Amino acid sequence: STVKIKLELSQVGEIDLSIYNMKGQKVKQLIGGKSSKGIFTANWDLKDKNGKKVSTGIYFVKLSQNKKLTRVSKLTVIK
């Protein structure tokens, strides 16, 4: 299954949209690099950066824009 993450960027700049586990470890980067402003959708296939399915638990979606933390959302994965 796939999780759709919708984000709205109010300015042009460098963005990083990543998934972290409860320990604060980065599980996977979904979007990284320069971006224009607007509304975007990122898809997470519930796999980590090595292509392995993540386990059931709580994860955090962190959006940073121009090296500043913009938003953190909690995501619960249930299998």
Side-chain angles (χ1 to χ4, degrees):
S1 47
T2 302
V3 175
K4 290 185 186 290
I5 301 164
K6 188 175 177 183
L7 55 141
E8 185 172 353
L9 302 175
S10 59
Q11 58 187 358
V12 174
E14 193 79 24
I15 68 160
D16 175 18
L17 181 69
S18 295
I19 308 292
Y20 290 81
N21 63 20
M22 289 285 290
K23 296 177 185 173
Q25 300 164 319
K26 186 185 277 191
V27 174
K28 187 172 187 177
Q29 182 180 45
L30 301 179
I31 301 174
K34 293 214 180 280
S35 180
S36 56
K37 60 183 180 177
I39 297 172
F40 301 91
T41 302
N43 296 313
W44 182 34
D45 58 5
L46 301 179
K47 293 181 182 175
D48 66 15
K49 57 189 167 201
N50 299 316
K52 186 179 172 192
K53 286 259 186 206
V54 298
S55 56
T56 297
I58 295 171
Y59 294 86
F60 296 94
V61 181
K62 292 185 180 182
L63 173 64
S64 296
Q65 197 167 13
N66 296 321
K67 308 249 186 242
K68 294 179 187 166
L69 185 62
T70 304
R71 184 177 183 129
V72 177
S73 301
K74 190 164 93 170
L75 178 72
T76 304
V77 174
I78 301 171
K79 295 184 179 183

